[in-house]
Amino acid sequence: MRRSVLLVPTAGGGLWSARSGGVRWICGFTDEAALARFALHHSYGDQPMDYAALLGARIVDEVVPSLDEPAGLAVDIATEDGSMFFPPVTGIVPDGVAVDSGEAQEGRGRGR
């Protein structure tokens, strides 16, 4: 996942995400076909869905820590048998924002 280029939809000047279970999930897709399946349900009519191409490592090492809440990476969520989730825990995100590290800064990496 860290070396993979993921296509992340953009909206309102930022990356598209969804909240579930107290976690903000950045949604990435492994290819244009997976992104297109997602876009069928989440885009506005015939409008194309804008996206950024980012390395998985950049998402979990830079984007996730910049958010002010527990966040993880959800990959290919519109693919029935191929979805993968990388939660905000040690070994996936930096220890300072991992919900299980004990190092999370106040207001970051832990639910409020």
Side-chain angles (χ1 to χ4, degrees), residues 13-99:
L15 301 177
W16 197 94
S17 63
R19 286 183 179 81
S20 180
V23 175
R24 181 173 176 183
W25 296 97
I26 304 298
C27 299
F29 300 90
T30 54
D31 57 32
E32 289 181 347
L35 177 61
R37 284 190 294 276
F38 173 80
L40 284 174
H41 301 295
H42 296 284
S43 65
Y44 299 105
D46 292 337
Q47 297 293 322
M49 181 171 273
D50 293 329
Y51 63 89
L54 301 170
L55 283 174
R58 184 166 183 204
I59 296 168
V60 296
D61 292 344
E62 296 177 28
V63 175
V64 165
S66 74
L67 303 173
D68 196 25
E69 61 188 309
L73 174 61
V75 178
D76 289 345
I77 61 171
T79 303
E80 189 172 316
D81 293 329
S83 299
M84 298 171 279
F85 293 85
F86 300 92
V89 295
T90 54
I92 294 178
V93 300
D95 289 348
V97 295
V99 296

